[in-house]
Amino acid sequence: INAEYMGQLSLVLGHNNIDSSGAASLAQLSSCTSLVDLDLVLDNNENIGDGGVAAFVELKFAHSLERLNLSVRHSGVTESGASALSELRHSQLAYFSLDMSGCEIGDHGAAAIAEMHKSNHLIEVNLKLSDCSIGDSGASSLSKFYKSRTLQSLSLFLNENIIGNPGVVALAELRHAPSLHDLKLELKGNKITDAGARTLVTACCSSKTLKELSVDLSQNNIGHSTQYGLASIYNAFENRVNLNLIIDDQLQHPSVCTIN
């Protein structure tokens, strides 16, 4: 593809038996000097693997590219491919969305992706890493996004992993991100108990910058008493956070968590 004035491109190529060489061909989009917004949906192409995903590192040379959505769900990627993608932190991206759900990237792969926090340009990050064999160490690595000076919106989809209380307590550090206004944490089907849930929600509601907070803790080991307690956090801090809290697939609110 060589379109001089092409600013936006969306390619949905799931279930097409694309292999690593096909992915490498798509990575040549990095040579398109006018491309600003790119969607590549390559789900369920099991032969893409680490080599194919690594080829997309070439997109860091697309100097006009501001927004990238890359989806490689169930495409045979492991920690090696995830590690290669960490090089995208050197790109000009302001908006980055990555879906590796169903790929065995583990804690090391999560740590590599977390290196994106070192980017000086990112405003919004969406990471869909459900069913990726991520545990407490990987969750702790992802919490490093709190170090980003530019990030305003962060969504972490970490459903169906093996994250326990140490991991979720580490994620509470995201409240310290200096520019973060919108935080979404999906932690459905992990190994979180009452103590971890209380720490996470209470800590995030203490943030001085967060305005929107969404937390899904359903299908964890959280008791009914803690559920009711989390839904009534108030009169402890000095801010207002719009809170959506899901436990056992039921929305618990107030929709506005008021802290005096």
Side-chain angles (χ1 to χ4, degrees), residues 228-244:
Y228 290 120
L230 292 177
S232 60
I233 296 172
Y234 63 96
N235 292 330
F237 306 104
E238 298 178 350
N239 68 331
R240 294 173 62 88
V241 179
N242 292 325
L243 172 64
N244 285 325

Side-chain angles (χ1 to χ4, degrees), residues 139-150:
S140 181
S141 296
L142 291 167
S143 73
K144 291 180 181 179
F145 276 101
Y146 86 86
K147 297 180 180 181
S148 171
R149 311 298 299 180
T150 58

Side-chain angles (χ1 to χ4, degrees), residues 185-222:
L185 298 173
E186 289 208 2
L187 295 159
K188 182 177 180 179
N190 279 278
K191 297 184 176 182
I192 301 162
T193 66
D194 295 12
R198 283 194 298 268
T199 299
L200 175 65
V201 176
T202 303
C204 287
C205 279
S206 75
S207 169
K208 302 299 183 183
T209 59
L210 282 178
K211 300 302 179 186
E212 302 288 337
L213 172 62
S214 178
V215 182
D216 187 345
L217 293 168
S218 56
Q219 297 181 28
N220 280 282
N221 299 315
I222 300 171

Side-chain angles (χ1 to χ4, degrees), residues 128-139:
K128 297 182 178 181
L129 304 174
S130 295
D131 189 22
C132 286
S133 299
I134 295 171
D136 293 328
S137 176

Side-chain angles (χ1 to χ4, degrees), residues 42-97:
L42 305 171
D43 300 338
N44 298 289
N45 287 290
E46 296 180 356
N47 294 320
I48 286 180
D50 293 330
V53 166
F56 290 118
V57 171
E58 291 297 308
L59 292 172
K60 71 181 181 181
F61 299 115
H63 297 303
S64 62
L65 190 63
E66 297 178 2
R67 184 187 300 269
L68 173 62
N69 172 37
L70 177 60
S71 185
V72 286
R73 295 168 57 94
H74 302 286
S75 293
V77 183
T78 70
E79 66 179 71
S80 177
S83 296
L85 279 183
S86 68
E87 285 297 306
L88 288 176
R89 68 185 184 274
H90 300 301
S91 69
Q92 302 297 309
L93 290 172
Y95 304 90
F96 178 58
S97 180

Side-chain angles (χ1 to χ4, degrees), residues 1-3 6-13 22-42 53 55-72 85 88 91-99 124 126:
I1 299 174
N2 184 16
M6 180 177 62
Q8 182 177 3
L9 178 64
S10 180
L11 297 175
V12 180
L13 299 170
S25 296
L26 290 170
Q28 294 179 26
L29 288 166
S30 61
S31 64
C32 183
T33 58
S34 62
L35 191 59
V36 175
D37 189 339
L38 177 60
D39 284 292
L40 288 176
V41 180
L42 305 171
V53 166
F56 290 118
V57 171
E58 291 297 308
L59 292 172
K60 71 181 181 181
F61 299 115
H63 297 303
S64 62
L65 190 63
E66 297 178 2
R67 184 187 300 269
L68 173 62
N69 172 37
L70 177 60
S71 185
V72 286
L85 279 183
L88 288 176
S91 69
Q92 302 297 309
L93 290 172
Y95 304 90
F96 178 58
S97 180
L98 174 65
D99 191 345
E124 179 178 323
N126 297 289

